[in-house]
Amino acid sequence: MLVNLNGKLVSKEDAKISVFDHGLLYGDGVFEGIRIYDGNIFRLKEHIDRLYNSAKFIMLDIGMSKEQMIKETIKVVSASKIRNGYIRLVVTRGVGDLGLDPRKCSKPTYFIIVDNIKLYPEEFYKKGLEITTVAIRRNISEALNPQVKSLNYLNNILAKIEAINHGSFEAVMINEQGYVTEATGDNIFIVKNGQLFTTPPYIGVLEGITRETVIEIANSLKIKTHEKIMTRYDLYTADECFLTGTAAEVIPVVKIDARVINDGTPGSITKKIIREFKKKTKILGVKVKYD
Ligand code: PXG
């Protein structure tokens, strides 16, 4: 494992930040989770674009160009020698005092961790997941907008805790109007009558890069995709269901709130998309030169 901390490459042991950093004190910051497949940083440009949009929303000036941030990311991946792994890129408001005022933070802190990924067990992909809707609501767009990938993940963590307490692996969060939003770290898709449906970003979900890739794949396979406001009814009556995210990639769902989806096994369109997604992971992105 290797860390780029404010431009310097340091070991895990030396990667330390101040207890006065507002990223820690208030969750005041933004982040990205990115995968490396066979030395290809998957959709790096899209992740950097989203990071800068998140920062812009919270009025955090990262203080360096996107091109520079891409260079710093490639630098630490190359030095790590990791060809298949995970990157966590974090930018915080930086060190301030004990008050909330972000103007007291003169310089943002950034760090880029490169680590080996702990893959989900293979049987999850073969057998599919059981998931549950939870009582905790997705926070509303007029509060902390879920399109912003901020360091405030307590909403999602509370949902995860609830799912775990129900003996379920993953939670689907509903919003205050009763509409389906997303899982705690994944977007959700259903298949109905051969077509794909996923929640529109304005309902209050992160615009996942895996989600976008799946929509592109569906287009190339001539599978119609719709952004649609959905309720639990749409989930329970779906022909197929899957989740998409950087860590999980595309993962089938076979049971939602004890309702069996498909025949309790991953559906054929889901499997097709998983196959196509695997191909894309090595093509789309930035290739790293390792020395
Ligand atoms: N929704 C939320 C709320 C997320 O945090 C996604 C959807 C999927 O987006 P991408 O761009 O990854 O397709 C995420 C992903 C993890 C992990 O290790 C994943 C995420 C954040 C933190 C951890 O599972 N984000």
Side-chain angles (χ1 to χ4, degrees):
M1 192 210 278
L2 200 58
V3 182
N4 180 338
L5 177 58
N6 295 316
K8 282 205 186 80
L9 298 184
V10 292
S11 67
K12 180 183 177 183
E13 290 70 32
D14 292 328
K16 293 180 179 148
I17 63 161
S18 166
V19 293
F20 292 95
D21 194 297
H22 279 207
L24 178 64
L25 288 176
Y26 297 114
D28 187 355
V30 293
F31 78 103
E32 282 297 320
I34 312 167
R35 287 283 284 270
I36 316 158
Y37 294 97
D38 271 358
N40 176 50
I41 307 179
F42 185 64
R43 306 217 101 161
L44 178 59
K45 191 184 169 299
E46 287 81 353
H47 280 285
I48 298 293
D49 283 344
R50 188 170 67 186
L51 180 80
Y52 276 70
N53 283 338
S54 295
K56 189 164 191 182
F57 184 88
I58 68 162
M59 292 191 81
L60 168 60
D61 180 2
I62 295 178
M64 61 199 273
S65 68
K66 289 184 187 178
E67 291 69 33
Q68 191 60 32
M69 190 59 93
I70 287 172
K71 271 192 195 145
E72 291 297 334
T73 307
I74 295 170
K75 178 170 103 183
V76 62
V77 173
S78 171
S80 76
K81 306 252 188 285
I82 291 176
R83 281 164 202 275
N84 287 285
Y86 186 77
I87 303 166
R88 174 60 57 91
L89 205 175
V90 179
V91 185
T92 77
R93 192 80 65 181
V95 172
D97 64 16
L98 291 178
L100 272 79
D101 192 342
R103 291 173 300 184
K104 298 283 170 61
C105 307
S106 54
K107 200 165 152 268
T109 301
Y110 78 86
F111 52 89
I112 309 166
I113 307 168
V114 187
D115 200 0
N116 292 306
I117 184 128
K118 289 157 230 55
L119 290 171
Y120 284 43
E122 190 51 39
E123 65 173 276
F124 282 20
Y125 296 88
K126 283 204 187 100
K127 291 190 183 158
L129 296 179
E130 292 185 32
I131 62 174
T132 36
T133 59
V134 291
I136 191 107
R137 293 300 187 246
R138 188 72 175 108
N139 49 284
I140 60 171
S141 300
E142 293 76 14
L144 177 55
N145 194 315
Q147 285 175 271
V148 179
K149 203 162 165 63
S150 83
L151 292 180
N152 283 259
Y153 258 58
L154 257 185
N155 185 213
N156 305 43
I157 291 164
L158 288 173
K160 189 87 179 182
I161 288 170
E162 215 182 310
I164 293 165
N165 289 346
H166 284 127
S168 178
F169 181 78
E170 185 54 279
V172 177
M173 289 176 281
I174 306 296
N175 72 8
E176 89 291 358
Q177 294 167 302
Y179 299 135
V180 172
T181 62
E182 60 185 338
T184 62
D186 301 285
N187 293 110
I188 188 162
F189 282 78
I190 62 162
V191 178
K192 188 76 180 173
N193 301 325
Q195 303 191 352
L196 278 186
F197 297 86
T198 191
T199 47
Y202 61 78
I203 210 83
V205 301
L206 187 77
E207 286 187 73
I209 287 160
T210 319
R211 172 190 184 277
E212 193 53 42
T213 309
V214 163
I215 293 171
E216 287 169 19
I217 289 169
N219 286 342
S220 69
L221 294 173
K222 304 268 183 291
I223 300 168
K224 276 216 172 106
T225 306
H226 311 270
E227 286 184 341
K228 186 185 168 220
I229 294 175
M230 295 187 279
T231 66
R232 284 188 185 84
Y233 177 86
D234 299 289
L235 299 187
Y236 296 169
T237 58
D239 296 334
E240 299 181 29
C241 179
F242 58 86
L243 304 179
T244 65
T246 293
E249 302 174 322
V250 180
I251 195 156
V253 171
V254 293
K255 219 184 240 185
I256 308 172
D257 295 343
R259 276 77 166 179
V260 174
I261 308 298
N262 194 29
D263 57 356
T265 64
S268 60
I269 292 181
T270 304
K271 286 196 277 194
K272 203 184 274 181
I273 287 170
I274 291 173
R275 276 198 299 275
E276 291 302 313
F277 181 79
K278 285 216 168 79
K279 292 183 204 160
K280 297 277 186 227
T281 58
K282 288 161 190 150
I283 302 165
L284 303 173
V286 174
K287 307 264 180 309
V288 177
K289 284 193 195 75
Y290 294 86
D291 31 48

